[in-house]
């Protein structure tokens, strides 16, 4: 079949487009809910479409109209199980009692999501053994602790500088475009009401912001637990030290350990190849489910905000990384982006830097010619601490929310955003949706109401997909620059890209 003869990258892009179309066709109907209730001790369910009025009858009746699907579901969830037994629901004069649940009606696009979940899990499954094994081998082959400190210092510094750059790009655009002042008051009220409950749940999430605690936490008490909890920084710390220590061990004892981890790392890389064979199906399912559930309509409501974030991500990804590669490496910018296509599509569809890590390592090593020693150090570190896309988005979001609330952020506050967003992005876990929780720290620092995240929650999933592309591309660009400076950049090979 022609499809199977296509290059993998093209298969994934096609799957992405088809998935979006499929999701758009089989999207969740916003005017349909399923009510489950108990009548004469029998559990029943009924689908209600296009209601005009939907009322919860209690001491304080709550009345909703035709476009309030999300509000209705949230209102019902806010009742305790005792209260649920008491209240009656009146939908266009049809009365429901003893209601057990009110849910959206899932479509086929949502039902196929487990295929996508399996794909993300497979990639995440190999990330930890791959990082551990390749880092131990990498550190052992570098051998020299001074060299390691030099590479580490360079990598972390460039990561921080590029992140600060990213936030600046975001802030400049948000100040120029002023997305918050372009939003009508009624849209603001509608978004705040719809996402209020969801927003307060996220605000309650405990986040540790103490820098000293973070530094202490770098050292795992138990490396096995670090691996079990996917604490990437702790794993990097342990593996680097173990690799360095290995170079001091007698040759006959050292070799079997190195051979073992080398074998393990090669096995994981083979696994990436195998997993990528199902990538088109995984990507199709993930995109179909996301579009089916969230749709593109919300993008229209928040069009200026979304455009500001996407434009910022584009400028940073193409021009800042492009400029950096031009200045500090011999690699052609086109070659870099061609070699990165596969990792970028996976980042977009999974919204997770951690799940993309194995693919990113493969792209950097095989397509771009970065040595294994460099990728196995810079990329896991980058996936954990370097999130330029997230930082840029946090900058735009903070200014946007402030603008909607009519607050004017001065230069001091904007500098504060740069500082806190650098820290917040370092602390953001490389999985979907964490950027918005860390945004709360940025908002707190500049006294912008945290509840404001309700305004942007609706589009967060789609923007998360976009910012994850920038996050992983930044890691790879820095990896290339470091490899160049260490003389560890081979000729790129795009035959498999
Ligand atoms: N999803 C992002 C990542 O994995 C993190 C975030 O911004 O939420 O890179």
């Amino acid at each position: 079949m022609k499809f199977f003869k296509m290059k993998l990258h093209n298969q994934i892009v096609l799957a992405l487009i088809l998935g979006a179309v499929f999701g758009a066709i089989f999207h969740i109907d916003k005017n349909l809910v399923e009510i489950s209730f108990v009548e004469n001790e029998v559990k029943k369910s009924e689908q209600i479409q296009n209601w005009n009025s939907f009322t919860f009858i209690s001491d304080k009746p709550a009345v909703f109209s035709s476009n309030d699907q999300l509000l209705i579901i949230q209102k019902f969830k806010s009742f305790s199980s005792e209260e649920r037994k008491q209240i009656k629901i009146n939908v266009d004069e049809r009365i429901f009692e003893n209601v057990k649940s009110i849910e959206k009606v899932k479509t086929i696009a949502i039902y196929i999501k487990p295929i996508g979940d399996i794909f993300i899990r497979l990639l995440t499954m190999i990330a930890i053994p791959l990082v551990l094994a390749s880092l131990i081998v990498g550190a052992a082959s570098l051998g020299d602790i001074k060299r390691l400190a030099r590479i580490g210092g360079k990598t972390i510094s460039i990561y921080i500088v590029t992140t600060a750059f990213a936030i600046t790009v975001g802030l400049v655009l948000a100040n120029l475009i002023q997305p918050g002042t372009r939003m009508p008051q009624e849209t603001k009220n509608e978004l705040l009401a719809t996402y209020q409950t969801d927003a307060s749940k996220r605000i309650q999430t405990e986040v540790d912001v103490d820098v000293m605690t973070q530094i202490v936490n770098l050292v795992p008490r138990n490396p096995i637990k670090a691996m079990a909890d996917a604490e990437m920084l702790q794993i990097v710390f342990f593996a680097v030290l173990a690799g360095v220590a290995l170079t001091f061990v007698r040759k006959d004892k050292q070799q079997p350990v190195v051979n073992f981890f080398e074998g393990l790392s090669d096995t994981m890389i083979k696994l990436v190849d195998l997993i990528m064979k199902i990538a088109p199906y995984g990507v199709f399912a993930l995109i179909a489910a996301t579009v089916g559930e969230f749709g593109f309509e919300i993008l229209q409501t928040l069009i200026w905000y979304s455009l500001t974030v996407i434009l910022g991500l584009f400028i940073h990804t193409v021009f800042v990384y492009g400029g950096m590669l031009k200045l500090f490496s011999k690699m052609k910018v086109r070659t870099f982006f061609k070699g990165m296509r596969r990792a970028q599509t996976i980042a977009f569809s999974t919204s997770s830097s951690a799940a993309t890590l194995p693919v990113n390592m493969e792209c950097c090593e095989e397509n771009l010619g970065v040595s294994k020693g460099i990728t196995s150090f810079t990329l896991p570190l980058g996936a954990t601490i370097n999130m330029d896309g997230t930082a840029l988005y946090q900058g735009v979001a903070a200014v946007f929310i402030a603008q909607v609330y009519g607050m004017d952020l001065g230069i001091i506050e904007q500098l504060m955003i740069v500082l806190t967003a650098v820290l917040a992005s370092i602390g953001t876990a490389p999985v979907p949706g964490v950027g918005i929780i860390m945004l709360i720290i940025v908002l707190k620092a500049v006294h912008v109401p945290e509840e404001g995240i309700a305004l942007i929650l609706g589009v967060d999933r789609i923007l998360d997909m976009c910012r994850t592309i920038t996050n992983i591309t930044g890691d790879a660009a820095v990896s290339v620059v470091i490899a160049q400076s260490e003389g560890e950049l081979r000729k790129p090979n795009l035959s498999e890209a």
Side-chain angles (χ1 to χ4, degrees):
M1 243 192 338
K2 269 260 159 45
F3 180 75
F4 293 101
K5 289 212 182 95
M6 269 165 90
K7 271 197 168 179
L8 182 62
H9 168 75
N10 294 334
Q11 287 183 27
I12 298 175
V13 172
L14 185 65
L16 221 151
I17 297 167
L18 292 178
V21 174
F22 191 80
I25 296 172
F26 297 103
H27 66 87
I28 283 186
D29 188 339
K30 302 246 176 330
N31 297 309
L32 178 67
V33 286
E34 184 163 288
I35 303 188
S36 305
F37 54 99
V38 178
E39 201 174 61
N40 303 327
E41 291 181 19
V42 186
K43 202 167 174 202
K44 296 180 180 166
S45 65
E46 207 169 292
Q47 291 190 357
I48 313 264
Q49 193 158 25
N50 300 330
W51 58 90
N52 291 316
S53 89
F54 202 116
T55 311
F56 290 90
I57 310 168
S58 65
D59 331 339
K60 282 190 235 133
V63 188
F64 296 97
S65 62
S66 55
N67 290 322
D68 292 338
Q69 186 200 51
L70 266 180
L71 287 175
I72 292 167
I73 294 173
Q74 275 169 9
K75 183 75 194 167
F76 183 74
K77 283 195 180 141
S78 72
F79 294 121
S80 66
S81 45
E82 263 322 297
E83 286 170 323
R84 285 178 194 180
K85 283 184 195 146
Q86 312 295 328
I87 43 165
K88 290 183 188 164
I89 298 173
N90 178 350
V91 189
D92 295 338
E93 305 310 319
R94 161 96 168 81
I95 305 284
F96 292 92
E97 284 180 70
N98 218 345
V99 174
K100 296 288 170 204
S101 69
I102 303 179
E103 309 273 358
K104 294 176 188 168
V105 177
K106 286 187 184 161
T107 65
I108 171 100
I110 314 294
Y111 281 117
I112 58 170
K113 187 161 178 273
I115 302 173
D117 291 338
I118 290 177
F119 176 60
I120 297 193
R121 275 169 169 259
L122 283 169
L123 286 173
T124 317
M125 168 184 91
I126 46 173
I128 289 175
L130 178 63
V131 168
L132 180 83
S134 53
L135 206 45
I136 290 183
V137 178
S141 64
L142 290 180
D144 166 3
I145 192 127
K146 267 201 214 133
R147 195 174 124 81
L148 208 69
R150 188 182 67 234
I151 298 179
K154 264 197 288 195
T155 312
I156 294 175
S157 315
I158 307 181
Y159 278 157
I160 293 178
V161 172
T162 50
T163 307
F165 233 100
I167 307 164
T168 314
V169 171
L171 289 180
V172 169
L173 287 179
N175 283 298
L176 283 178
I177 301 176
Q178 299 267 328
T181 51
R182 293 170 190 264
M183 196 160 91
Q185 183 67 27
E186 71 263 25
T187 316
K188 172 187 165 184
N189 296 342
E190 215 177 286
L191 286 169
L192 284 177
T194 313
Y195 294 98
Q196 198 179 29
T197 332
D198 205 353
S200 37
K201 260 195 230 140
R202 287 168 209 241
I203 292 169
Q204 278 154 18
T205 318
E206 291 269 334
V207 271
D208 202 346
V209 282
D210 182 30
V211 178
M212 208 55 218
T213 321
Q214 301 290 357
I215 294 175
V216 172
N217 282 345
L218 274 182
V219 186
R221 271 209 198 97
N222 173 351
I224 309 289
K225 184 166 189 305
M227 281 178 245
D229 295 343
E231 289 287 352
M232 219 48 116
L233 280 183
Q234 296 190 346
I235 300 169
V236 170
F237 185 86
F238 170 74
V240 166
L241 279 194
V244 171
L246 206 54
T247 57
F248 297 108
V249 173
R250 239 180 40 208
K251 250 286 164 298
D252 60 322
K253 298 259 164 72
Q254 183 193 103
Q255 212 46 54
V257 181
V258 172
N259 284 348
F260 169 76
F261 282 113
E262 211 159 22
L264 181 61
S265 148
D266 288 353
T267 314
M268 291 305 126
I269 288 169
K270 272 273 158 306
L271 257 179
V272 182
D273 288 339
L274 278 180
I275 295 167
M276 287 312 285
K277 292 209 189 317
I278 65 154
Y281 308 102
V283 166
F284 177 88
L286 284 171
I287 299 292
T290 309
V291 174
E293 182 161 0
F294 300 99
F296 289 119
E297 291 140 49
I298 186 85
L299 272 178
Q300 282 165 14
T301 325
L302 282 158
I303 191 75
W304 286 106
Y305 163 71
S306 308
L307 277 181
T308 313
V309 175
I310 293 171
L311 181 67
L313 293 174
F314 179 78
I315 293 176
H316 189 73
T317 309
V318 175
F319 298 106
V320 176
Y321 297 146
M324 187 169 86
L325 290 169
K326 266 205 151 91
L327 282 177
F328 302 110
S329 84
K330 294 202 181 83
M331 184 170 293
K332 283 208 184 91
V333 178
R334 264 181 77 113
T335 310
F336 173 78
F337 281 107
K338 257 192 146 169
M340 284 297 294
R341 288 186 313 192
R342 191 183 293 180
Q344 287 176 328
T345 39
I346 299 299
F348 183 74
S349 29
T350 61
S351 273
S352 164
S353 302
T356 313
L357 179 62
V359 188
N360 204 7
M361 285 173 85
E362 195 180 48
C363 286
C364 284
E365 274 168 45
E366 289 178 9
N367 304 343
L368 304 179
V370 179
S371 75
K372 201 170 175 167
I374 299 287
T375 56
S376 56
F377 177 74
T378 52
L379 295 182
L381 189 70
T384 323
I385 67 164
N386 183 45
M387 304 231 177
D388 294 357
T390 301
L392 186 149
Y393 137 86
Q394 285 168 342
V396 176
V399 175
F400 170 74
I401 296 173
Q403 285 168 353
V404 175
Y405 279 97
M407 294 169 69
D408 206 9
L409 296 179
I411 190 79
I412 303 285
E413 279 105 345
Q414 308 236 3
L415 284 175
M416 196 67 193
I417 294 180
V418 176
L419 188 76
T420 45
V422 168
L423 295 176
S425 70
I426 291 176
T428 303
V431 287
V434 184
I436 197 157
I437 293 175
M438 301 305 279
L439 170 66
I440 296 164
I441 300 174
V442 182
L443 297 179
K444 270 193 180 146
V446 285
H447 309 293
V448 172
E450 299 138 54
E451 304 76 58
I453 63 165
L455 295 167
I456 54 171
L457 261 172
V459 275
D460 196 62
R461 179 64 216 215
I462 294 173
L463 296 183
D464 192 2
M465 293 157 82
C466 303
R467 65 189 187 241
T468 309
I469 298 185
T470 306
N471 288 348
I472 62 109
T473 309
D475 303 339
V478 173
S479 196
V480 170
V481 168
I482 300 285
Q484 180 81 61
S485 73
E486 292 293 320
E488 293 196 35
L489 192 63
R490 279 176 283 117
K491 231 174 134 302
N493 173 9
L494 296 181
S495 58
E496 288 297 312

